[in-house]
Amino acid sequence: TLTVEQIYQDRDRFASLVREVAAPDVGRMGIEILSFTIKDVYDKVEYLSSLGKTQTAAVQRDADIGVAEAERDAGIREAECKKEMMDVKFVADTKMADSKRELEMQKASFNQEVNTKKAEAQLAYELQAAKEQQKIRLEEIEIEVVQRKKQITIEEKEIDRTEKELIATVRRPAEAEAYKMQQLAEGQKIKKVLTAQAEAEKIRCIGEAEAASIEAVGKAEAEKMRLKAEAYQQYGEAAKTALVLEALPKIASKVAAPLSKTNEIVILSGEGSRVTGEVNRLLAELPVSVKALTGVDLTKQELQHQ
């Protein structure tokens, strides 16, 4: 229904006719055409490309003329524009420099103000932070104080509990044991005191008895000595001699005591009568020894008795 030129030039109509013709056919196949695109139209004999060569050459020619004229006009306009641009640029640069200077001055002023505000804000922030830190520290201190008070309360309760436990487990038994020991000690003390008192009373009684006995014995001995003294005074030398004679057996026993422990006496002598002579000599020396000890001459007393 279309010519080759129409197909090549009027792509929209060609696409519309393709949709109208193809839609019923594919619809019977259960397919619906939503959209499609014709990418290219070509032929094997290059007919379609030949149709565009003349037009393409004309268009190319007109394009070149248009380009030359456009370049000429563009050059003129470009020069004018450059001049205007330079003028505008000079004015713009001047204004830009003024604006830049004012901008820098304004920026410096703004920076100064901003820095001042920033310093003030920083200082205020630091002061506020310090205040907050102080508040936090105060809160922490209060918390620590409360915790410490609770800890102290717990420790006090623990101390009371431990003390009660010690009282129940150690102190009370210790006190009972101490009381028991105290009572036992008191009993021992009383026992010792009573025993000492009884012993003292016994010693006192014995002492009094011994003193009385000694006194009686002393009195008897004194009386005996007094009577002996009276008898000595009455009888004189005869009494003394009697006393010496009474003491001679005792003296003889003391002198003979070493001899009583001697089993055998051996006298080395050639004389047979040497033992008898020694015994006679001892007997002869006895009165002399008695006189040296007592002052009584037995030989005189013997002559007087004779």
Side-chain angles (χ1 to χ4, degrees):
T1 59
L2 295 176
T3 64
V4 176
E5 286 81 0
Q6 289 175 341
I7 291 173
Y8 185 75
Q9 294 174 358
D10 195 354
R11 301 289 181 93
D12 292 336
R13 186 180 178 189
F14 173 59
S16 177
L17 290 173
V18 170
R19 178 188 289 274
E20 289 177 3
V21 174
D25 294 335
V26 298
R28 286 191 293 270
M29 297 169 62
I31 299 173
E32 181 182 1
I33 298 175
L34 297 178
S35 64
F36 70 95
T37 302
I38 298 175
K39 293 183 178 180
D40 194 11
V41 178
Y42 61 92
D43 65 309
K44 294 181 180 180
V45 295
E46 297 182 358
Y47 176 78
L48 294 176
S49 62
S50 296
L51 289 176
K53 285 182 180 180
T54 304
Q55 186 176 359
T56 300
V59 172
Q60 186 68 36
R61 181 197 61 201
D62 293 338
D64 292 338
I65 294 170
V67 169
E69 291 178 352
E71 288 179 354
R72 181 197 61 194
D73 294 338
I76 295 170
R77 185 60 184 164
E78 183 180 359
E80 293 176 352
C81 288
K82 283 184 179 180
K83 182 179 180 301
E84 293 176 359
M85 183 187 68
M86 294 299 292
D87 294 339
V88 172
K89 184 180 179 182
F90 177 75
V91 174
D93 289 341
T94 302
K95 290 181 179 180
M96 187 181 295
D98 294 338
S99 298
K100 188 175 181 180
R101 185 182 68 254
E102 293 178 359
L103 177 63
E104 292 295 332
M105 293 177 64
Q106 192 69 27
K107 282 175 66 177
S109 178
F110 288 163
N111 288 334
Q112 182 180 2
E113 186 176 356
V114 167
N115 291 331
T116 302
K117 295 297 182 182
K118 284 176 66 177
E120 292 176 355
Q122 183 68 25
L123 180 60
Y125 172 76
E126 292 177 357
L127 291 174
Q128 188 64 29
K131 291 180 180 179
E132 294 297 328
Q133 286 294 119
Q134 186 176 5
K135 290 181 180 178
I136 293 171
R137 183 55 185 162
L138 290 175
E139 293 292 334
E140 291 178 351
I141 291 173
E142 291 180 358
I143 292 172
E144 291 177 358
V145 169
V146 172
Q147 291 179 350
R148 185 58 181 165
K149 287 181 179 179
K150 291 182 179 179
Q151 185 68 25
I152 292 172
T153 303
I154 293 171
E155 290 178 356
E156 289 177 352
K157 291 182 179 179
E158 182 66 19
I159 291 170
D160 292 337
R161 186 190 67 79
T162 306
E163 184 177 0
K164 290 179 180 179
E165 183 178 357
L166 289 174
I167 290 173
T169 60
V170 178
R171 183 176 176 183
R172 294 292 171 77
E175 289 179 351
E177 187 66 21
Y179 180 75
K180 177 182 176 182
M181 296 300 294
Q182 182 179 2
Q183 294 300 318
L184 291 174
E186 290 292 333
Q188 292 292 331
K189 178 181 177 182
I190 293 171
K191 179 180 177 181
K192 289 181 179 180
V193 169
L194 294 176
T195 303
Q197 290 177 353
E199 189 68 24
E201 184 65 21
K202 175 183 176 182
I203 292 171
R204 187 183 63 79
C205 293
I206 292 173
E208 289 179 355
E210 290 180 351
S213 175
I214 292 170
E215 183 180 3
V217 171
K219 288 181 179 179
E221 289 291 335
E223 184 66 19
K224 179 181 178 181
M225 293 299 293
R226 185 181 67 78
L227 293 175
K228 282 184 178 182
E230 290 178 355
Y232 291 159
Q233 289 178 359
Q234 183 177 359
Y235 294 105
E237 294 297 327
K240 292 181 181 180
T241 303
L243 289 175
V244 171
L245 292 174
E246 289 178 1
L248 283 178
K250 294 181 181 180
I251 295 171
S253 64
K254 294 296 183 180
V255 172
L259 295 176
S260 65
K261 296 179 182 180
T262 303
N263 294 325
E264 183 180 359
I265 297 174
V266 178
I267 299 176
L268 298 177
S269 176
E271 299 177 1
S273 60
R274 183 59 179 252
V275 175
T276 305
E278 291 294 331
V279 171
N280 293 329
R281 186 180 62 80
L282 290 172
L283 292 174
E285 292 178 355
L286 182 60
V288 178
S289 298
V290 171
K291 183 179 180 181
L293 292 173
T294 62
V296 177
D297 190 356
L298 293 178
T299 56
K300 293 182 178 181
Q301 295 297 328
E302 183 180 358
L303 291 174
Q304 290 176 2
H305 287 292
Q306 291 178 355

